[in-house]
Amino acid sequence: MEEKTGILSDIIYHNESNGYTIAVIENEEVPEQFTAVGYLHNPDRGRTYRLTGKWKNHPTYGEQFAFESYVEEMPKTAEGIQNFLSSGLMKGVGKKTAQAIVNRFGEDTLRIISEEPHRLTEVEGIGKVKAKAISDAFAAHQEFAGIVLYFQRFGISTGYAMRLYKVYGSDTIKTIEENPYQLIDDVFGIGFRKADRIAQLLGVPGNDPQRIRSGIRYTLWAHINEGHTFVPQKQLCELAGDLLDISAEEVYETIVQMAFEGDLQVENLEGRAVVYLLPYFMAEQKVCRKLIELDRTDLKPIRGDMDELIRLTERQTGIELSENQKRAVKIAMESGVAVITGGPGTGKTTIINTIMTIFQYNDFSTAIAAPTGRAAKRITETSGYEASTIHRLLEYCYSEGEDSMRFGKNEENPLRFDAVIIDEASMIDIMLMKGLLDAIPAGTRLIIVGDADQLPPVGAGNVLRDIIESEVISSVKLTEIFRQAKESFIVVNAHKINKGEYPDINERDKDFFLLHRKSEKEMLATILDLCARRLPSYFDDCDPLRDLQVLTPVRKGLLGCENLNKELQKILNPPCPGVKEKRFGDRLFREGDKVMQIKNNYQLEWKRFYDFTDGQGVFNGDCGFIHTIDNEFNEITVVYEDNKYVTYDVTNLDELELAYAVTVHKSQGSEFPVIIMPVSWFPPVLATRNLLYTAVTRAKDAVILVGSEDKMRAMVDNNRILERYSGLKPRLKQFLL
């Protein structure tokens, strides 16, 4: 290994997510100039580095110095110090402030910041608070440099080291040495294998109890992330054993010990032993008990004859209900908990409006909510009644010190309504359902509305389907498509797809099309042309960014959302003078881009400038547009629905991605004027009937499929619904006995 020292004079490439850098280094004392490649945290021109590595010859770029570790040497010149201070490491210190500090203290600046920070107030515009912030940031940088150096020997990039430092601070090294597997729970993006590699380098043996416990938890979490609430014990022992390279018997012994200590729950469910992480076991039990309690409690009586009340609403609205719709209204009035399910065009909104009218006549206080902001907004627009997200209804808040959310409304502080209506219930997972039911006191009517044939929720559980299939809770399925809805091929074809019939396509003056294309390259070219030229010219006032949405079953490949986003960005929001950009890993963000939050972040702060409100929490699937990019402070500001402004920096930009194209799963609860979807060969587990059905039902004005009719028909034929391990249905069925 060789050591090289020099000043970074130019950055050819830098990946902010992992720190990978290609840079030009100069050493004026030798003198020499060379290209260095490796991982640097937040590099900037003018800073001095001591690199350890070896020379290699790149077939295209020639000789390069590939460094495996580095130490940053503090700059000694005034120019170097100014570049260091304005590099973005210290929040609030831009180029002008850095220049003012250096003009005052010259080459003694860094010593002043470290040893006499109070003297920074001698610089105009810097008060005591800002002086302390600059000093603290400099101390943190010095501390962080040591942590980066420590982790380099484990092959952990500066990007991950930055995440670790954000979580553990000055205790980072101590925490990791005590239990490297804690990283899995605490740091987004670090999985078992990475933590296990660190543990091995630290000398942790393969049969260490912490390692086995971590492997079991990791295997359980992997299943939870796929939608399961438990894993059969035999399967868990085999999978964790393969992961850890130990016997299933050793895994079983640890499971027993973890269950004894209260970390896991082992239960016999429908004749087999299953294993839960404790919060999911408790949630299932609580949801089951609370549904039964709400369903079997005395209710506030409805004044008047029900048939007469329904006739009254029919006269007011001019809409005559079918017999099945009337039955749904009556069941909602008579039951503590009622489920109303049906596809598009079957009158779910009409039923909600009828129920609300009857509640108003009876002076009932009623709340309407949905899992996402987009779904809540759609309810408000179609029904005329104000709806909110379930999170807002429950007054969610972030718990300091815990990466988790808490609800202000709960058993101790319940909701005070006579009735609660929940729409788009197919999206509700078991944990959100628990939070909702915790806040609904006995005697409150709960009306659950949704489409059970759509994709299951992204989170764990299969709540709506389990409730319906248990046959314990009163439910009505709406199947009749009403006259106005029948005029739309979107609605008609959605029901045909759901019944396993092939949709009608390309009818004149209709709204459901299939553009036949053979190859994936042709499909991609057609999708790009539709978004950039054909559809904006065909539809009046069509905004391709807001009115068109490309959906796809997959993330990877030519027709996956990752590639589609890159290609759509080029044509819908191309580079333009004066429009700022920021590269983060393999993602390029540009002002004006359509983006999506891909992880629940309960800490992320938002501000709404028109009414000066603020709050916390941006959720997985929220879409917005990049308003501004500030490259001086490495920040991106995104505007979400309701004019919520959210600022991202390099520590959370990995939670943001382009959203010109999104997966069908991510589109749940949304409605778009026009959806465009490629239909090619996709893995059978994804190319399913209910995925196509879900995609089609996202469209309001037009569906445009691009690809092969045979592949579209194969999706209709593929009625494969992956089994989700969920215990809610059998728990509810126990109450039938």
Side-chain angles (χ1 to χ4, degrees):
M1 297 293 254
E2 188 176 342
E3 196 172 89
K4 305 291 292 183
T5 301
I7 297 172
L8 193 153
S9 63
D10 194 18
I11 299 172
I12 300 171
Y13 173 77
H14 176 65
N15 183 324
E16 287 194 25
S17 65
N18 61 19
Y20 182 74
T21 305
I22 303 173
V24 177
I25 304 293
E26 291 183 353
N27 187 332
E28 296 177 354
E29 296 178 5
V30 176
E32 68 174 342
Q33 184 183 80
F34 60 90
T35 301
V37 295
Y39 295 88
L40 282 176
H41 168 58
N42 209 6
D44 201 33
R45 295 168 181 82
R47 288 160 65 177
T48 302
Y49 296 94
R50 186 167 74 249
L51 311 174
T52 302
K54 55 187 176 182
W55 294 97
K56 70 174 185 178
N57 195 45
H58 192 280
T60 304
Y61 302 108
E63 193 173 48
Q64 299 175 330
F65 188 71
F67 61 93
E68 296 181 5
S69 63
Y70 74 90
V71 175
E72 181 179 358
E73 297 190 344
M74 288 296 99
K76 297 179 176 60
T77 66
E79 181 183 4
I81 293 170
Q82 185 174 321
N83 287 335
F84 171 77
L85 291 178
S86 62
S87 65
L89 285 169
M90 280 163 266
K91 199 174 182 71
V93 179
K95 292 180 180 178
K96 291 181 181 179
T97 303
Q99 184 178 0
I101 294 171
V102 173
N103 286 346
R104 176 69 182 84
F105 301 113
E107 295 178 2
D108 201 28
T109 295
L110 297 183
R111 188 194 67 78
I112 294 293
I113 292 173
S114 178
E115 300 174 11
E116 302 177 73
H118 62 277
R119 290 192 58 194
L120 289 172
T121 58
E122 297 173 19
V123 179
E124 186 177 354
I126 297 180
K128 290 182 179 180
V129 173
K130 190 167 185 177
K132 184 178 186 306
I134 293 171
S135 174
D136 290 347
F138 180 68
H141 173 70
Q142 297 292 86
E143 186 175 66
F144 178 69
I147 289 169
V148 168
L149 191 62
Y150 172 84
F151 281 118
Q152 281 175 349
R153 65 190 177 108
F154 301 125
I156 292 182
S157 70
T158 53
Y160 277 118
M162 186 161 55
R163 293 183 190 177
L164 298 177
Y165 184 70
K166 184 179 178 182
V167 174
Y168 302 123
S170 58
D171 292 330
T172 299
I173 293 174
K174 177 186 174 185
T175 302
I176 303 312
E177 288 182 340
E178 286 179 353
N179 180 12
Y181 296 102
Q182 191 171 335
L183 291 173
I184 303 167
D185 297 328
D186 295 344
V187 184
F188 176 63
I190 292 187
F192 176 82
R193 298 185 190 282
K194 191 180 288 286
D196 200 37
R197 187 172 71 247
I198 297 170
Q200 289 173 16
L201 290 169
L202 287 170
V204 176
N207 62 351
D208 183 89
Q210 282 186 335
R211 180 173 185 264
I212 299 175
R213 287 167 178 259
S214 179
I216 291 168
R217 280 194 296 269
Y218 172 79
T219 306
L220 282 166
W221 272 115
H223 281 73
I224 286 169
N225 290 334
E226 291 177 359
H228 308 289
T229 60
F230 66 78
V231 183
Q233 181 177 281
K234 184 175 183 295
Q235 182 177 327
L236 176 61
C237 290
E238 292 170 352
L239 290 171
D242 290 343
L243 174 73
L244 298 164
D245 196 24
I246 62 175
S247 69
E249 288 73 21
E250 288 178 276
V251 174
Y252 172 73
E253 290 171 4
T254 304
I255 288 173
V256 172
Q257 183 65 27
M258 292 174 74
F260 179 76
E261 294 171 1
D263 292 336
L264 304 176
Q265 177 71 28
V266 180
E267 188 179 40
N268 189 289
L269 194 66
E270 296 186 299
R272 62 179 172 180
V274 302
V275 183
Y276 285 86
L277 284 172
L278 202 58
Y280 288 85
F281 172 75
M282 301 296 289
E284 263 191 10
Q285 282 206 319
K286 185 61 177 291
V287 167
C288 178
R289 287 199 307 268
K290 197 60 185 283
L291 284 171
I292 297 301
E293 178 189 0
L294 289 173
D295 193 50
R296 299 184 178 180
T297 303
D298 291 337
L299 302 170
K300 183 177 178 179
I302 300 288
R303 297 194 311 269
D305 176 73
M306 189 57 60
D307 289 323
E308 183 56 38
L309 289 171
I310 291 173
R311 282 193 292 272
L312 176 65
T313 61
E314 289 176 325
R315 287 195 296 271
Q316 288 179 352
T317 62
I319 299 173
E320 185 176 345
L321 273 63
S322 70
E323 289 304 313
N324 203 30
Q325 285 180 311
K326 292 176 184 177
R327 176 170 167 263
V329 172
K330 290 178 181 179
I331 284 176
M333 294 297 125
E334 296 164 357
S335 307
V337 182
V339 177
I340 301 167
T341 181
T346 56
K348 295 191 296 294
T349 300
T350 299
I351 289 174
I352 290 175
N353 290 343
T354 302
I355 290 170
M356 286 296 296
T357 301
I358 294 173
F359 283 159
Q360 286 180 335
Y361 176 79
N362 280 268
D363 297 321
F364 277 24
S365 58
T366 309
I368 307 179
T372 68
R374 287 166 291 168
K377 185 177 180 182
R378 188 147 57 93
I379 295 165
T380 301
E381 291 170 348
T382 57
S383 72
Y385 295 104
E386 187 65 30
S388 73
T389 64
I390 296 174
H391 291 84
R392 196 171 74 191
L393 177 69
L394 299 179
E395 299 178 2
Y396 71 87
C397 58
Y398 175 74
S399 296
E400 194 65 40
E402 302 177 44
D403 186 19
S404 62
M405 180 178 59
R406 293 289 181 266
F407 292 125
K409 293 298 182 181
N410 48 44
E411 286 179 307
E412 289 73 35
N413 182 31
L415 294 167
R416 300 295 182 186
F417 295 101
D418 296 311
V420 174
I421 301 173
I422 301 297
D423 200 2
E424 293 286 359
S426 64
M427 300 174 63
I428 300 177
D429 61 39
I430 193 69
M431 299 306 285
L432 182 56
M433 193 65 175
K434 176 195 175 293
L436 174 66
L437 294 179
D438 277 345
I440 298 179
T444 305
R445 286 174 170 81
L446 174 61
I447 300 162
I448 301 170
V449 183
D451 186 349
D453 294 317
Q454 288 194 28
L455 290 169
V458 174
N462 210 2
V463 174
L464 180 60
R465 190 182 290 269
D466 280 355
I467 292 173
I468 293 169
E469 292 182 355
S470 73
E471 299 181 344
V472 174
I473 302 299
S474 300
S475 65
V476 178
K477 183 167 186 177
L478 307 172
T479 56
E480 181 183 350
I481 308 173
F482 291 93
R483 182 177 57 80
Q484 188 175 357
K486 285 180 180 177
E487 296 174 4
S488 167
F489 266 34
I490 297 173
V491 172
V492 172
N493 281 337
H495 285 269
K496 293 187 93 172
I497 290 167
N498 199 30
K499 290 188 283 188
E501 301 172 10
Y502 302 137
D504 296 319
I505 56 175
N506 300 339
E507 293 285 336
R508 186 179 179 87
D509 298 326
K510 289 298 182 180
D511 51 15
F512 199 104
F513 307 95
L514 173 66
L515 304 184
H516 298 272
R517 299 293 184 270
K518 292 182 179 179
S519 70
E520 291 197 344
K521 286 185 177 179
E522 290 176 313
M523 295 177 203
L524 176 60
T526 300
I527 290 170
L528 298 179
D529 188 43
L530 285 167
C531 293
R533 185 183 62 85
R534 292 175 62 180
L535 292 175
S537 63
Y538 181 80
F539 290 103
D540 293 335
D541 301 321
C542 175
D543 181 345
L545 292 181
R546 298 180 185 275
D547 297 334
L548 308 180
Q549 183 62 58
V550 178
L551 303 181
T552 177
V554 294
R555 291 190 59 83
K556 302 293 184 182
L558 196 67
L559 299 175
C561 62
E562 291 179 4
N563 184 63
L564 282 166
N565 272 316
K566 290 177 182 177
E567 297 299 324
L568 287 164
Q569 183 191 47
K570 292 176 186 176
I571 60 169
L572 296 180
N573 191 28
C576 181
V579 176
K580 295 176 185 175
E581 300 178 349
K582 183 168 190 61
R583 185 170 289 280
F584 185 81
D586 59 353
R587 304 172 197 174
L588 175 65
F589 295 114
R590 186 174 292 130
E591 289 176 341
D593 274 337
K594 187 177 184 179
V595 291
M596 174 184 283
Q597 172 79 11
I598 60 171
K599 172 183 180 283
N600 286 340
N601 188 326
Y602 311 118
Q603 275 183 288
L604 208 50
E605 296 180 349
W606 53 263
K607 295 181 183 297
R608 191 187 287 118
F609 292 114
Y610 71 82
D611 61 1
F612 303 104
T613 56
D614 56 22
Q616 287 181 308
V618 182
F619 301 103
N620 187 2
D622 285 352
C623 285
F625 292 87
I626 294 179
H627 184 259
T628 53
I629 293 177
D630 187 335
N631 284 314
E632 182 174 354
F633 295 113
N634 292 311
E635 293 178 341
I636 290 179
T637 300
V638 176
V639 184
Y640 287 101
E641 288 183 349
D642 297 330
N643 284 307
K644 293 179 180 177
Y645 286 74
V646 178
T647 299
Y648 294 79
D649 59 29
V650 293
T651 64
N652 53 26
L653 267 181
D654 57 340
E655 299 176 10
L656 202 63
E657 66 180 28
L658 296 176
Y660 300 100
V662 301
T663 62
V664 178
H665 283 82
K666 289 285 190 181
S667 73
Q668 286 178 267
S670 301
E671 184 179 71
F672 310 99
V674 180
I675 70 108
I676 305 158
M677 189 174 91
V679 183
S680 181
W681 183 90
F682 297 117
V685 68
L686 294 173
T688 62
R689 181 187 300 174
N690 72 331
L691 184 138
L692 179 60
Y693 172 76
T694 301
V696 166
T697 56
R698 300 306 91 209
K700 181 180 179 182
D701 299 325
V703 169
I704 303 172
L705 305 179
V706 181
S708 161
E709 185 170 1
D710 287 343
K711 294 295 187 295
M712 179 195 72
R713 292 186 168 199
M715 291 184 77
V716 176
D717 293 337
N718 181 11
N719 197 27
R720 176 179 181 178
I721 298 176
L722 283 179
E723 179 191 2
R724 281 198 169 193
Y725 296 133
S726 167
L728 182 58
K729 176 180 168 182
R731 291 183 199 285
L732 285 169
K733 291 189 82 162
Q734 291 176 358
F735 289 88
L736 284 174
L737 302 177

